[in-house]
Amino acid sequence: MFTGIIQDIGTIKRLQRKGDNTEFTVFSDKLAHDIKIGDSVAISGVCLTGSAVDPKANQFVVTAVSETMQRATLGDLTPGAHINLELALQPTDRLGGHFVQGHVDTIGRCSAVLQRAGSWEIRFDFPQEYGRYVVEKGSVAIDGVSLTIYDVKPTQFTASIIPHTWESTTLRLLKAGMRVNLEFDLLAKYIAKMTGLQTTDRITLDRLREYGY
């Protein structure tokens, strides 16, 4: 479990195919010394397991199976690529973002990056069948970053990025057309299942009241 608060921007040093799996060697001078073999690490929003660690070189290795490679944007990564990193949540940590599992739901696409006075506005497109999980002022993990969204449309939403988040994540590298990992709010997914929301339905206040929320 994660919170969507990025702890470091790592760098892909090497990719190696092993059967159907792909091993990523990651450089992080902030986090490599805290990772142990078997630990969960969010790689741009994808929960992977540390399989080797070299603290002296500030590097660690994670492995992704073929299904994970297909569902997320990991296949877009090449040596030198920058990635968002977050270690798993501990019971004593503050929950600064929202509950993030590291299980990517779908791949979205950045449609626009607009600079505002003191912030940035990024618009994202997503498949319509996930619209039931998207609500105004709700939370979405985008490449592992917990963001509050607004201006929600059937296949698009917008997020505003403050300077700290802009400088501390790979969101500053986004350009129109680039793909991103999307994980929708866990609570929204449970509510949708319990209330029987169909693919094109949306969670509304009236619908929640109907079910006693």
Side-chain angles (χ1 to χ4, degrees):
M1 185 70 74
F2 307 90
T3 69
I5 304 300
I6 302 306
Q7 296 169 309
D8 192 20
I9 296 177
T11 304
I12 299 294
K13 302 299 289 185
R14 186 176 66 169
L15 288 80
Q16 185 175 5
R17 291 294 300 273
K18 289 194 172 181
D20 291 334
N21 301 334
T22 303
E23 281 191 352
F24 296 88
T25 300
V26 179
F27 174 87
S28 171
D29 56 359
K30 290 185 180 179
L31 301 182
H33 62 281
D34 285 333
I35 296 173
K36 299 179 179 62
I37 294 175
D39 282 355
S40 295
V41 185
I43 307 293
S44 288
V46 183
C47 179
L48 298 176
T49 301
S51 56
V53 183
D54 184 354
K56 292 183 179 179
N58 292 321
Q59 294 183 166
F60 62 93
V61 177
V62 292
T63 303
V65 299
S66 59
E67 196 275 340
T68 303
M69 294 292 292
Q70 294 169 13
R71 182 176 288 271
T73 63
L74 295 177
D76 297 345
L77 298 176
T78 57
H82 297 297
I83 51 175
N84 293 320
L85 297 176
E86 182 186 358
L87 302 183
L89 177 68
Q90 298 185 70
T92 55
D93 289 342
R94 291 181 176 178
L95 185 59
H98 71 285
F99 287 121
V100 177
Q101 292 181 292
H103 302 161
V104 173
D105 291 305
T106 189
I107 293 174
R109 196 173 293 274
C110 171
S111 58
V113 180
L114 305 172
Q115 186 167 3
R116 302 303 188 192
S119 66
W120 290 261
E121 182 180 284
I122 307 181
R123 295 174 186 163
F124 297 94
D125 296 328
F126 65 93
Q128 187 172 5
E129 59 264 33
Y130 294 93
R132 55 184 169 167
Y133 307 134
V134 180
V135 295
E136 193 79 11
K137 303 300 182 183
S139 296
V140 177
I142 302 169
D143 276 349
V145 185
S146 174
L147 293 174
T148 301
I149 62 171
Y150 61 95
D151 193 21
V152 174
K153 296 178 173 62
T155 61
Q156 188 182 80
F157 59 76
T158 301
S160 286
I161 315 300
I162 63 172
H164 172 76
T165 304
W166 183 261
E167 293 297 330
S168 303
T169 71
T170 61
L171 294 176
R172 59 187 167 87
L173 304 177
L174 285 179
K175 294 179 174 57
M178 293 179 67
R179 306 197 312 161
V180 294
N181 295 317
L182 296 180
E183 180 185 335
F184 299 101
D185 187 23
L186 177 63
L187 297 179
K189 287 184 274 190
Y190 275 120
I191 291 172
K193 184 175 180 64
M194 289 188 294
T195 58
L197 284 176
Q198 301 301 310
T199 300
T200 56
D201 290 341
R202 288 185 176 276
I203 298 172
T204 64
L205 287 175
D206 289 339
R207 193 66 179 263
L208 291 175
R209 291 191 188 102
E210 180 183 346
Y211 285 89
Y213 289 94

